[in-house]
């Protein structure tokens, strides 16, 4: 999940941490439900909030994705960054975010979701999904 030399591994970690630290915490269901519940923010406004933080983070990742010469974010092997990307793309679609500005991310996500191991990890594939 961290192939290559030290510089390549650092770039992969940086992309993964962009997702883990800058995107995910702000569109985590726990956060969104808190906004809707105790803070009584309208669902539409919460979706705007989530889309803003998703697309802000995706803008930086799109540059990385567009520069990739392989199937995934950092070549032809799945990396840590790819594994962090998949659930955020799922979240973006869940809130119906406009992804037209991110064609490289959408293409990479499509390739990742074609992998059986990742299809089996989707929320709706879990035994307790409802």
């Amino acid at each position: 999940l961290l192939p290559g030399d030290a510089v390549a591994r650092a770039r992969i970690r940086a992309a993964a941490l962009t997702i883990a630290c800058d995107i995910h915490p702000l569109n985590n269901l726990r956060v969104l439900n808190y906004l809707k519940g105790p803070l009584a923010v309208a669902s539409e406004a919460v979706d705007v909030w989530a889309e803003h933080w998703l697309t802000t983070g995706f803008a930086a990742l799109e540059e990385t994705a567009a520069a990739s010469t392989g199937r995934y974010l950092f070549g032809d092997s799945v990396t840590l960054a790819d594994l962090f990307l998949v659930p955020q793309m799922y979240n973006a679609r869940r809130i119906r975010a406009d992804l037209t500005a991110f064609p490289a991310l959408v293409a990479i996500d499509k390739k990742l979701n074609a992998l059986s191991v990742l299809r089996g990890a989707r929320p709706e594939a879990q035994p307790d999904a409802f």
Side-chain angles (χ1 to χ4, degrees), residues 60-113:
L61 290 173
E62 178 66 16
E63 290 181 30
T64 299
S68 177
T69 58
R71 298 176 50 79
Y72 308 116
L73 279 170
F74 292 92
D76 286 322
S77 296
V78 174
T79 68
L80 186 66
D82 295 301
L83 297 182
F84 278 62
L85 175 64
V86 171
Q88 298 316 307
M89 294 296 288
Y90 186 94
N91 281 344
R93 289 185 177 96
R94 180 177 45 78
I95 64 161
R96 293 178 214 87
D98 181 5
L99 297 175
T100 55
F102 312 109
L105 288 176
V106 169
I108 288 170
D109 182 59
K110 183 176 181 179
K111 293 170 195 158
L112 287 164
N113 279 295

Side-chain angles (χ1 to χ4, degrees), residues 6 10 19 32-33 48-49 61 78 82 85 107 113 122 124 130:
I19 297 166
L32 301 181
N33 288 337
V48 169
W49 155 281
L61 290 173
V78 174
D82 295 301
L85 175 64
N113 279 295
R122 293 176 66 84
E124 64 271 12
F130 49 91

Side-chain angles (χ1 to χ4, degrees), residues 4-24:
D5 60 18
V7 172
R9 291 191 303 273
R11 287 183 178 135
I12 293 166
R13 282 188 184 101
L17 288 173
T18 294
I19 297 166
C21 298
D22 293 341
I23 300 173
H24 172 71

